Amino acid sequence: LYPPLQLCGTTVKQSSLCNIGLIEKGGFKIGCRVSVTKRGEIIPKIEKVYQHMPNETDIIIPDKCPECGNKLYTNADRTKTQCLNPFCSSIKVGKMNKWVNTFAIKELAPTTLGKLLDAGIVDGTIKSLYEIDYGAIEKLEGFGAKSAEAIKRNLSSVKEVDLADFIAGFNIPSIGPSI
């Protein structure tokens, strides 16, 4: 985070250092002064450190999944860190969310998917999305008959899909609509 600044006609309040490799290579620390640009006049990007400060501290890189506590895996070039625990609720929500996003299914944001998973209405598989007990959704706090009906309607609205999108929806690493 940094103080709000004007870039390309918009106010930018934050941007991300997207991977451990960039943090380490760039020498970024909490409290250092950085150069921020906009990529394609849309996406704010922290480019480099332009001044180290005496009070800066190291960025703590987590080694355990905040959701399940499993050890995190980081690839060799340190560009990707992830939990590999197939039972992690965050992984399960992510898989279902990839499916939902691939087919633009409304009413099933990650928060909703997490609530359905926590309540045992889905089990984290794509199959479970199509075996939902809509009566159970109606009984969930913050939901009701209208929410259950909207979820049912949106899930059943996708009847035919391209094979490439179908495969992409399973979130298989390195496999998508175009390999």
Side-chain angles (χ1 to χ4, degrees), residues 25-97:
K25 183 178 170 186
F28 295 102
K29 295 183 180 278
I30 296 171
C32 66
R33 295 190 178 197
V34 297
S35 169
V36 180
T37 63
K38 269 198 167 180
R39 295 286 172 103
E41 295 190 19
I42 297 173
I43 301 169
K45 179 168 185 340
I46 300 173
E47 295 288 347
K48 64 182 181 179
V49 173
Y50 77 83
Q51 185 179 7
H52 283 285
M53 305 302 288
N55 63 339
E56 64 189 31
T57 58
D58 288 337
I59 295 172
I60 306 299
I61 307 299
D63 61 352
K64 294 188 189 281
C65 174
E67 191 70 31
C68 72
N70 197 53
K71 185 178 185 313
L72 294 173
Y73 163 79
T74 301
N75 64 354
D77 64 2
R78 305 194 48 82
T79 57
K80 188 173 186 179
T81 300
Q82 64 189 52
C83 177
L84 299 177
N85 176 6
F87 303 105
C88 176
S89 61
S90 185
I91 297 291
K92 291 178 176 185
V93 167
K95 286 181 178 184
M96 291 185 297
N97 189 56

Side-chain angles (χ1 to χ4, degrees), residues 99 102-105 130 154-167:
W99 182 267
T102 298
F103 301 108
I105 300 169
Y130 296 94
N154 288 310
L155 272 170
S156 63
S157 70
V158 180
K159 298 203 185 300
E160 292 184 22
V161 297
D162 293 332
L163 178 60
D165 289 336
F166 179 76
I167 292 169

